[in-house]
Amino acid sequence: MKKLFLLLCLLPLQLLAQSTTEQVAAWQQQAQDITIIRDNWGVPHIYGKKDADCAFGIMYAQCEDNYRQLEESFIGPLGRAAELYGEDRLQGDVSIALFECVKKAKADYASASSFIKSLCNGAAAGINYYLYKHPDTVRRLLEHYEPWFFLLPGIDNPSGHGITSAEIRSYNNTMLPGHTPEGEEDNSIEERENGSNAMAIAPSHSASGQAMLLINPHVNFFGNGQRYECHLISEQGLNVSGFAIFGTFYIWSGFNPYSGWTHTNSGVDFTDVYLERFDNAADPSLYRYGNGYRTATIWTDTVRYKTAAGLQSKAVLLRKTHHGPVVAKRDSFLVSMKNLTDPQSSYIEQCWKMCRSKNLRQFKAAMNKRTLGYPNTMYADRDGNTAYWHGNAVPKRSTQFDWRSPVDGSNPATEWQGLHRLKDIIQVINPASGWIQNCNSTPYLAAGSSSPKQGDYPAYMAYDKQTFRAVEAVRLLSATDKISYADFEKLVVSNHLPMMANWLPQILAAYDSMATTSPALKEKLGAVADTLRRWNYRYGLNSQATSIAVMWYLQYDNWNNSQPKQSAADDNATNLQGNELPMSGATAVDLLSKAVEALNKRFDTAFVNWGDINRLQRLQSPSDNFDDNKPSWPVAAVPSPLGSLFAFGNGFTRGQQKFYGARGNTYTAIVSFGPRIQARSIMYFGQSANPSSSHYLDQAPLYAAGKFKDAWFYKEDVLTHAEKTYHPGE
């Protein structure tokens, strides 16, 4: 009997060992169907028999290049950040529980098509096989990856709809009693600067007679959201190059032999916030709706967090209405949030169809799935078509409400009425102007005189305003009838700053007026004003005026964010456009004085070359510190709100004298669509995060200089420039 008991105890271990052996054998067999060719920049070109092999290969390659970041990309979405980082990260994990991300991902995988399952299975196998082959890899939290990890949905934040941080914290305190919430978000420019540029040029506006496309996201240099350049090719017909985001196995923006596309962030409203009144004393789960009540779903979940004594757990009380999760508290109301609920599998399916599209008709069919939410999409193809869609999945709503602010959750008139058809959202297709641009800007100026008309669409389809980057893009695209590929390459890194071209003459005029009656002001700013007067509004490494102008902008940015908002939904940080100064001349001159004081305090002079203080330096993780004593590259580009198409978000880096970029241009590509694709691209550091790799910083000098490398697409070119060819695991 005792012997039987021992055998029964050992049986699960034997089955586990057998399962592991079977898994390894399956991984090894699949790896033989995959060939990774690393080119001379370290970019992986992944050739597989099936699309699922490409999913396996890209995740294996991401592990090779930056496993730490790949693991990080899953820790937060799984709601396990506090297990690694401690109690300060609890609130993010609670949000994951509140939005039921893990539950939705598992259900999504269970009901997904066999094709989506094969992609997820391949991606998970690629990571697990890498960990099996590299047992010394540091695993900070995750030991094994499941296919449903790739279907984890995102969460939403109500702050874009007029809900304050205090209102969010007020409700957080009820979910996590006794928990001290995280501090205020750092509003430094390197954290806030976000967006992208996209341009499409039609054959009629192109010197070669071929359509051209700019792909240019502006995101974090460090931490989640980093871009990963790669090329996926399968015998099932997939052939797409561009960038993925760490932890994903599909190309988010890129090109195939026939067409290309890219995305920018927009002001399309695809989520809404509702004020819910829970005022029934007899039943606290009831909230008002119409002439009666509805019952909220209330449940308890558990979150874990690291302490000096080991892992601890906290129970959290969560609640949702039929609109969505309750995320904040305003006065006597609870605030719920409604978002698009398409499963992540549908989102991936749409992305995959976009990757495979050979013409405008097929691309429209992919876009018609309408799962992308707010991202704008720019398109160009070999047939000469250019197109732009402002957003993708846009809910229908009553136009009697201002949807930028919370609406009355008890009013049935605030319910969504399905999604707008693709043909009904704001779009531009083959405009007579011959060009389209979007720089996180209004679609109503996207294509010159061929732009959509604002009165034809409801306000919630485009809250965007014109940005100075868009002003610069329109100026350049309108300046000539024909743009060559070489011209395009220079255009997208233009160093002209329209904010300064518009505002600086007004600042100097105000200074001149004030200086006539203030000798002290003339003494302080006279030489600075003369330097700015001689400036051509173009940034440059040896430009002292650029240093003064950027420091003025940073002072302005702080001032702007301290001003009362015009409405609950207003975001002053985005309102940086306009020909007229957004403040009095006296205030602008005072900010110039503060800029000079800041330069003198930091550098002992107001006259310092921009390239001496504006630097590019690679960190291993976002928690590391920049260091003036370590190598860095001078970068001429400036923060994008000044109108810099080459966005380089810097700021007052703590503990260091120089400024360092932390956000801005990441993956940038320019593509020409002829019978043979012509493409050039650049990343901000290099393909590998391993400091000992030759591809750790090999792209940094080109990036800093605003230049590009060839993006090899055809196999003969890939082989000619191959540095390493192998199967995963070798």
Side-chain angles (χ1 to χ4, degrees):
M1 194 72 180
K2 184 176 180 181
K3 185 176 180 180
L4 178 61
F5 176 76
L6 289 172
L7 287 172
L8 290 173
C9 290
L10 290 171
L11 186 59
L13 295 176
Q14 293 170 342
L15 290 174
L16 178 62
Q18 183 182 10
S19 174
T20 301
T21 301
E22 291 173 353
Q23 286 178 338
V24 171
W27 299 336
Q28 290 172 332
Q29 182 176 354
Q30 187 171 11
Q32 291 305 303
D33 291 335
I34 303 163
T35 299
I36 300 177
I37 304 176
R38 297 274 186 171
D39 67 23
N40 56 318
W41 295 101
V43 176
H45 303 259
I46 298 163
Y47 295 82
K49 287 188 176 181
K50 299 179 179 179
D51 288 9
D53 297 331
C54 292
F56 183 115
I58 186 177
M59 299 318 297
Y60 191 94
Q62 286 185 22
C63 289
E64 290 181 302
D65 287 328
N66 195 346
Y67 176 74
R68 187 187 191 283
Q69 182 53 54
L70 181 138
E71 183 186 32
E72 187 72 26
S73 299
F74 288 100
I75 290 171
L78 284 167
R80 300 185 62 187
E83 293 181 40
L84 182 62
Y85 296 109
E87 193 172 7
D88 283 348
R89 296 289 293 274
L90 261 179
Q91 189 52 59
D93 291 352
V94 170
S95 295
I96 297 296
L98 177 62
F99 281 83
E100 302 176 274
C101 295
V102 170
K103 176 182 176 181
K104 290 177 181 176
K106 290 180 177 179
D108 189 10
Y109 179 78
S111 62
S113 67
S114 59
F115 175 68
I116 292 295
K117 283 182 177 177
S118 73
L119 295 177
C120 294
N121 292 345
I127 302 175
N128 291 325
Y129 187 46
Y130 175 85
L131 293 176
Y132 169 77
K133 294 294 291 186
H134 299 81
D136 294 335
T137 298
V138 175
R139 300 151 167 84
R140 292 174 300 142
L141 186 67
L142 304 180
E143 296 287 344
H144 185 79
Y145 290 75
E146 297 291 342
W148 58 264
F149 283 13
F150 300 93
L151 301 180
L152 287 162
I155 61 175
D156 296 304
N157 188 317
S159 59
H161 287 72
I163 300 298
T164 67
S165 297
E167 290 168 334
I168 296 172
R169 288 197 303 272
S170 175
Y171 186 67
N172 288 347
N173 289 337
T174 67
M175 289 194 292
L176 283 172
H179 170 63
T180 303
E182 299 175 63
E184 292 285 350
E185 182 180 353
D186 181 4
N187 280 327
S188 57
I189 184 64
E190 65 264 24
E191 293 301 322
R192 263 190 296 102
E193 182 168 323
N194 191 8
S196 302
N197 298 333
M199 302 180 199
I201 297 176
S204 63
H205 204 58
S206 167
S208 67
Q210 299 172 359
M212 296 188 291
L213 179 72
L214 167 68
I215 304 171
N216 182 205
H218 304 160
V219 295
N220 288 325
F221 293 174
F222 313 102
N224 290 335
Q226 290 182 54
R227 275 34 182 169
Y228 183 80
E229 185 171 7
C230 54
H231 183 192
L232 307 179
I233 311 98
S234 82
E235 294 178 13
Q236 292 180 322
L238 182 71
N239 184 5
V240 59
S241 182
F243 75 80
I245 300 171
F246 268 98
T248 67
F249 53 76
Y250 50 88
I251 301 297
W252 174 239
S253 294
F255 55 94
N256 60 41
Y258 310 97
S259 65
W261 74 100
T262 188
H263 303 291
T264 61
N265 291 346
S266 78
V268 172
D269 192 349
F270 75 111
T271 63
D272 285 316
V273 168
Y274 295 82
L275 298 178
E276 315 278 21
R277 186 180 293 280
F278 287 79
D279 61 355
N280 190 302
D283 188 346
S285 70
L286 299 180
Y287 60 100
R288 286 193 177 274
Y289 190 77
N291 296 322
Y293 287 93
R294 282 196 172 192
T295 303
T297 300
I298 301 175
W299 75 103
T300 300
D301 207 332
T302 302
V303 289
R304 300 195 299 173
Y305 59 99
K306 184 176 73 174
T307 71
L311 281 180
Q312 302 290 325
S313 298
K314 281 194 177 185
V316 290
L317 186 67
L318 306 172
R319 180 188 312 230
K320 64 181 178 181
T321 70
H322 74 287
H323 292 125
V326 174
V327 294
K329 186 178 188 298
R330 169 172 288 183
D331 302 324
S332 61
F333 295 96
L334 294 183
V335 179
S336 67
M337 190 161 196
K338 184 176 180 64
N339 67 330
L340 294 169
T341 55
D342 279 317
Q344 195 73 4
S345 59
S346 296
Y347 181 95
I348 294 173
E349 184 179 353
Q350 176 169 342
C351 292
W352 213 262
K353 287 180 179 292
M354 292 162 68
C355 289
R356 284 178 163 273
S357 297
K358 295 183 178 181
N359 52 49
L360 181 59
R361 178 184 60 80
Q362 292 181 2
F363 196 82
K364 279 184 178 180
M367 289 288 290
N368 198 44
K369 287 187 65 66
R370 292 171 293 164
T371 67
L372 300 186
Y374 72 93
N376 306 317
T377 303
M378 191 77 69
Y379 172 86
D381 67 26
R382 192 167 70 177
D383 297 327
N385 295 301
T386 59
Y388 172 78
W389 293 268
H390 199 72
N392 183 230
V394 184
K396 288 183 182 178
R397 309 165 171 93
S398 168
T399 57
Q400 64 179 299
F401 304 103
D402 180 1
W403 293 96
R404 291 171 295 179
S405 300
V407 295
D408 181 1
S410 68
N411 185 351
T414 63
E415 298 294 348
W416 291 356
Q417 297 132 33
L419 294 179
H420 283 280
R421 295 175 297 179
L422 181 69
K423 69 177 185 177
D424 294 331
I425 69 173
I426 304 171
Q427 58 196 272
V428 182
I429 297 179
N430 293 326
S433 63
W435 54 265
I436 317 171
Q437 63 77 34
N438 182 266
C439 300
N440 311 119
S441 48
T442 174
Y444 304 123
L445 295 171
S449 60
S450 305
S451 301
K453 301 298 183 283
Q454 187 168 0
D456 294 342
Y457 301 94
Y460 59 73
M461 279 194 178
Y463 292 130
D464 319 74
K465 300 180 181 179
Q466 188 69 334
T467 64
F468 278 122
R469 277 182 289 121
V471 169
E472 181 66 3
V474 169
R475 182 184 76 85
L476 293 167
L477 291 169
S478 304
T480 180
D481 290 335
K482 301 289 184 180
I483 298 174
S484 70
Y485 189 84
D487 293 336
F488 198 30
E489 187 172 334
K490 295 175 183 176
L491 183 154
V492 301
V493 292
S494 168
N495 64 352
H496 181 258
L497 303 177
M499 175 191 277
M500 290 294 104
N502 282 316
W503 290 2
L504 186 54
Q506 299 173 66
I507 299 171
L508 291 175
Y511 159 76
D512 289 339
S513 176
M514 296 169 65
T516 58
T517 58
S518 176
L521 182 66
K522 188 172 183 178
E523 174 69 22
K524 181 178 183 180
L525 296 182
V528 167
D530 290 342
T531 297
L532 293 173
R533 233 184 287 275
R534 294 189 296 267
W535 189 37
N536 61 359
Y537 315 120
R538 293 182 179 275
Y539 62 68
L541 293 177
N542 298 319
S543 169
Q544 297 175 351
T546 302
S547 301
I548 298 169
V550 172
M551 190 62 78
W552 181 90
Y553 162 71
L554 294 174
Q555 301 298 323
Y556 162 74
D557 188 61
N558 290 333
W559 172 86
N560 186 48
N561 287 305
S562 69
Q563 301 305 299
K565 293 183 178 180
Q566 298 300 309
S567 70
D570 186 34
D571 179 5
N572 287 326
T574 66
N575 298 337
L576 300 175
Q577 60 289 310
N579 293 330
E580 301 297 324
L581 273 176
M583 80 283 280
S584 68
T587 298
V589 173
D590 180 61
L591 294 176
L592 184 58
S593 292
K594 287 183 169 60
V596 170
E597 291 167 3
L599 284 167
N600 279 318
K601 180 179 180 180
R602 201 173 184 94
F603 305 106
D604 296 324
T605 178
F607 303 98
V608 55
N609 289 340
W610 180 235
D612 292 340
I613 63 176
N614 192 52
R615 314 293 290 189
L616 176 70
Q617 187 176 92
R618 186 163 197 174
L619 304 178
Q620 285 295 95
S621 76
S623 60
D624 293 341
N625 294 319
F626 293 106
D627 190 337
D628 287 341
N629 297 313
K630 293 182 178 180
S632 62
W633 281 263
V635 177
V638 304
S640 68
L642 285 89
S644 179
L645 291 176
F646 181 171
F648 193 76
N650 57 27
F652 301 95
T653 309
R654 296 180 184 87
Q656 304 300 317
Q657 186 184 42
K658 298 175 183 178
F659 299 162
Y660 292 93
R663 196 177 184 97
N665 274 29
T666 47
Y667 171 89
T668 306
I670 46 175
V671 189
S672 181
F673 295 93
R676 185 176 176 87
I677 289 288
Q678 182 180 4
R680 286 170 64 77
S681 64
I682 195 69
M683 295 285 289
Y684 46 113
F685 294 119
Q687 192 72 24
S688 173
N690 182 354
S692 64
S693 169
S694 61
H695 301 301
Y696 182 64
L697 289 169
D698 58 337
Q699 297 186 51
L702 287 175
Y703 173 91
K707 297 181 179 180
F708 297 84
K709 63 175 181 60
D710 289 315
W712 311 117
F713 186 75
Y714 296 97
K715 191 164 187 179
E716 60 267 28
D717 294 327
V718 173
L719 291 173
T720 297
H721 297 90
E723 187 176 82
K724 182 182 179 182
T725 301
Y726 59 101
H727 299 298
E730 293 179 349

